[in-house]
CSV table of all heavy atoms in Angstrom, one decimal:
chain,number,residue,atom,x,y,z
A,1,ARG,N,0.9,-1.2,0.0
A,1,ARG,CA,0.0,0.0,0.0
A,1,ARG,C,0.9,1.2,0.0
A,1,ARG,O,1.8,1.3,0.8
A,1,ARG,CB,-0.9,0.0,1.2
A,1,ARG,CG,-1.9,-1.1,1.2
A,1,ARG,CD,-2.7,-1.2,2.5
A,1,ARG,NE,-3.7,-2.3,2.4
A,1,ARG,CZ,-4.9,-2.2,1.8
A,1,ARG,NH1,-5.3,-1.0,1.4
A,1,ARG,NH2,-5.7,-3.2,1.8
A,2,PHE,N,0.6,2.2,-0.9
A,2,PHE,CA,1.4,3.4,-1.1
A,2,PHE,C,0.5,4.6,-1.1
A,2,PHE,O,-0.4,4.8,-2.0
A,2,PHE,CB,2.2,3.3,-2.4
A,2,PHE,CG,3.0,2.1,-2.5
A,2,PHE,CD1,2.5,0.9,-3.0
A,2,PHE,CD2,4.3,2.1,-2.0
A,2,PHE,CE1,3.3,-0.3,-3.1
A,2,PHE,CE2,5.1,1.0,-2.1
A,2,PHE,CZ,4.6,-0.2,-2.6
A,3,VAL,N,0.6,5.4,-0.1
A,3,VAL,CA,-0.2,6.7,0.1
A,3,VAL,C,0.2,7.6,-1.1
A,3,VAL,O,1.3,7.8,-1.4
A,3,VAL,CB,0.0,7.3,1.4
A,3,VAL,CG1,-0.7,8.7,1.5
A,3,VAL,CG2,-0.4,6.4,2.5
A,4,ILE,N,-0.8,8.2,-1.7
A,4,ILE,CA,-0.6,9.1,-2.8
A,4,ILE,C,-0.6,10.5,-2.1
A,4,ILE,O,-1.7,11.0,-1.6
A,4,ILE,CB,-1.7,9.1,-3.9
A,4,ILE,CG1,-1.8,7.7,-4.4
A,4,ILE,CG2,-1.5,10.1,-5.0
A,4,ILE,CD1,-3.0,7.4,-5.3
A,5,PRO,N,0.5,11.3,-2.2
A,5,PRO,CA,0.5,12.6,-1.6
A,5,PRO,C,-0.6,13.5,-2.2
A,5,PRO,O,-0.9,13.4,-3.4
A,5,PRO,CB,1.9,13.1,-1.9
A,5,PRO,CG,2.7,11.9,-2.0
A,5,PRO,CD,1.8,10.9,-2.7
A,6,ALA,N,-1.2,14.4,-1.4
A,6,ALA,CA,-2.3,15.2,-1.9
A,6,ALA,C,-2.0,15.9,-3.2
A,6,ALA,O,-2.9,16.0,-4.0
A,6,ALA,CB,-2.7,16.2,-0.8
A,7,GLY,N,-0.8,16.5,-3.4
A,7,GLY,CA,-0.5,17.3,-4.6
A,7,GLY,C,-0.3,16.4,-5.8
A,7,GLY,O,-0.2,17.0,-6.9
A,8,PHE,N,-0.3,15.1,-5.7
A,8,PHE,CA,-0.1,14.2,-6.8
A,8,PHE,C,-1.3,13.8,-7.5
A,8,PHE,O,-1.3,13.3,-8.6
A,8,PHE,CB,0.6,12.9,-6.4
A,8,PHE,CG,2.1,13.1,-5.9
A,8,PHE,CD1,2.7,14.3,-5.7
A,8,PHE,CD2,2.8,11.9,-5.8
A,8,PHE,CE1,4.0,14.4,-5.3
A,8,PHE,CE2,4.2,12.0,-5.4
A,8,PHE,CZ,4.7,13.3,-5.1
A,9,ILE,N,-2.5,14.0,-6.9
A,9,ILE,CA,-3.7,13.4,-7.4
A,9,ILE,C,-4.8,14.5,-7.7
A,9,ILE,O,-4.9,15.5,-6.9
A,9,ILE,CB,-4.3,12.3,-6.5
A,9,ILE,CG1,-5.3,11.5,-7.2
A,9,ILE,CG2,-4.8,12.9,-5.2
A,9,ILE,CD1,-5.6,10.2,-6.6
A,10,ASN,N,-5.5,14.4,-8.8
A,10,ASN,CA,-6.5,15.4,-9.1
A,10,ASN,C,-7.8,14.9,-8.6
A,10,ASN,O,-8.4,13.9,-9.0
A,10,ASN,CB,-6.6,15.5,-10.6
A,10,ASN,CG,-7.6,16.6,-11.1
A,10,ASN,OD1,-8.3,17.2,-10.3
A,10,ASN,ND2,-7.7,16.7,-12.4
A,11,LEU,N,-8.3,15.6,-7.5
A,11,LEU,CA,-9.6,15.1,-6.9
A,11,LEU,C,-10.8,15.5,-7.7
A,11,LEU,O,-11.9,15.0,-7.4
A,11,LEU,CB,-9.7,15.8,-5.5
A,11,LEU,CG,-8.6,15.5,-4.5
A,11,LEU,CD1,-8.7,16.3,-3.2
A,11,LEU,CD2,-8.5,14.0,-4.2
A,12,HIS,N,-10.6,16.3,-8.7
A,12,HIS,CA,-11.8,16.8,-9.5
A,12,HIS,C,-11.6,16.6,-11.0
A,12,HIS,O,-11.8,17.5,-11.8
A,12,HIS,CB,-12.1,18.3,-9.2
A,12,HIS,CG,-12.2,18.5,-7.7
A,12,HIS,ND1,-13.3,18.2,-7.0
A,12,HIS,CD2,-11.3,19.1,-6.9
A,12,HIS,CE1,-13.1,18.5,-5.7
A,12,HIS,NE2,-11.9,19.1,-5.6
A,13,GLY,N,-11.2,15.4,-11.4
A,13,GLY,CA,-11.0,15.2,-12.8
A,13,GLY,C,-10.1,14.0,-13.1
A,13,GLY,O,-10.0,13.0,-12.4
A,14,SER,N,-9.4,14.1,-14.3
A,14,SER,CA,-8.7,12.9,-14.8
A,14,SER,C,-7.3,12.7,-14.1
A,14,SER,O,-6.7,13.7,-13.8
A,14,SER,CB,-8.5,13.1,-16.3
A,14,SER,OG,-7.8,12.1,-16.9
A,15,ASN,N,-7.0,11.5,-13.9
A,15,ASN,CA,-5.7,11.0,-13.3
A,15,ASN,C,-5.1,9.9,-14.2
A,15,ASN,O,-5.9,9.1,-14.8
A,15,ASN,CB,-5.9,10.5,-11.9
A,15,ASN,CG,-6.3,11.7,-11.0
A,15,ASN,OD1,-5.5,12.4,-10.5
A,15,ASN,ND2,-7.6,11.8,-10.7
A,16,THR,N,-3.8,9.8,-14.2
A,16,THR,CA,-3.2,8.7,-14.9
A,16,THR,C,-2.3,8.0,-13.9
A,16,THR,O,-1.5,8.6,-13.2
A,16,THR,CB,-2.3,9.3,-16.0
A,16,THR,OG1,-3.2,10.0,-16.9
A,16,THR,CG2,-1.6,8.2,-16.8
A,17,ILE,N,-2.3,6.6,-13.9
A,17,ILE,CA,-1.4,5.8,-13.2
A,17,ILE,C,-0.6,5.0,-14.2
A,17,ILE,O,-1.1,4.5,-15.2
A,17,ILE,CB,-2.1,4.9,-12.2
A,17,ILE,CG1,-1.1,4.1,-11.4
A,17,ILE,CG2,-3.1,3.9,-12.9
A,17,ILE,CD1,-1.7,3.4,-10.2
A,18,ALA,N,0.7,5.1,-14.0
A,18,ALA,CA,1.6,4.3,-14.9
A,18,ALA,C,2.5,3.4,-14.0
A,18,ALA,O,2.9,3.8,-12.9
A,18,ALA,CB,2.5,5.3,-15.7
A,19,VAL,N,2.7,2.2,-14.5
A,19,VAL,CA,3.5,1.2,-13.7
A,19,VAL,C,4.5,0.6,-14.6
A,19,VAL,O,4.2,0.0,-15.6
A,19,VAL,CB,2.5,0.2,-13.1
A,19,VAL,CG1,3.3,-0.8,-12.2
A,19,VAL,CG2,1.4,0.8,-12.3
A,20,ALA,N,5.8,0.6,-14.1
A,20,ALA,CA,6.8,-0.1,-14.8
A,20,ALA,C,7.1,-1.4,-14.0
A,20,ALA,O,7.5,-1.4,-12.8
A,20,ALA,CB,8.1,0.7,-14.8
A,21,VAL,N,6.8,-2.6,-14.6
A,21,VAL,CA,7.0,-3.9,-13.9
A,21,VAL,C,8.2,-4.5,-14.5
A,21,VAL,O,8.3,-4.8,-15.7
A,21,VAL,CB,5.7,-4.8,-14.1
A,21,VAL,CG1,6.0,-6.1,-13.5
A,21,VAL,CG2,4.5,-4.1,-13.5
A,22,ALA,N,9.1,-4.8,-13.6
A,22,ALA,CA,10.4,-5.5,-13.9
A,22,ALA,C,10.2,-7.0,-13.4
A,22,ALA,O,10.2,-7.2,-12.2
A,22,ALA,CB,11.6,-4.9,-13.3
A,23,ALA,N,10.0,-7.9,-14.3
A,23,ALA,CA,9.7,-9.3,-13.9
A,23,ALA,C,11.0,-10.1,-14.0
A,23,ALA,O,11.7,-10.0,-15.0
A,23,ALA,CB,8.7,-9.9,-14.8
A,24,LYS,N,11.3,-10.8,-13.0
A,24,LYS,CA,12.6,-11.6,-12.9
A,24,LYS,C,12.4,-13.0,-13.5
A,24,LYS,O,13.4,-13.7,-13.9
A,24,LYS,CB,13.0,-11.8,-11.5
A,24,LYS,CG,13.3,-10.5,-10.8
A,24,LYS,CD,13.7,-10.6,-9.3
A,24,LYS,CE,13.8,-9.3,-8.6
A,24,LYS,NZ,14.0,-9.5,-7.2
């Protein structure tokens, strides 16, 4: 679980989450 700091997220519109997965 990773808290999203308040300034990182748009509470009133569009948001994007991007994830780089390094699989071993």
Side-chain angles (χ1 to χ4, degrees):
R1 296 175 178 272
F2 303 89
V3 173
I4 303 170
F8 289 12
I9 195 161
N10 183 0
L11 300 176
H12 308 284
S14 181
N15 293 276
T16 300
I17 184 168
V19 181
V21 176
K24 299 175 187 175

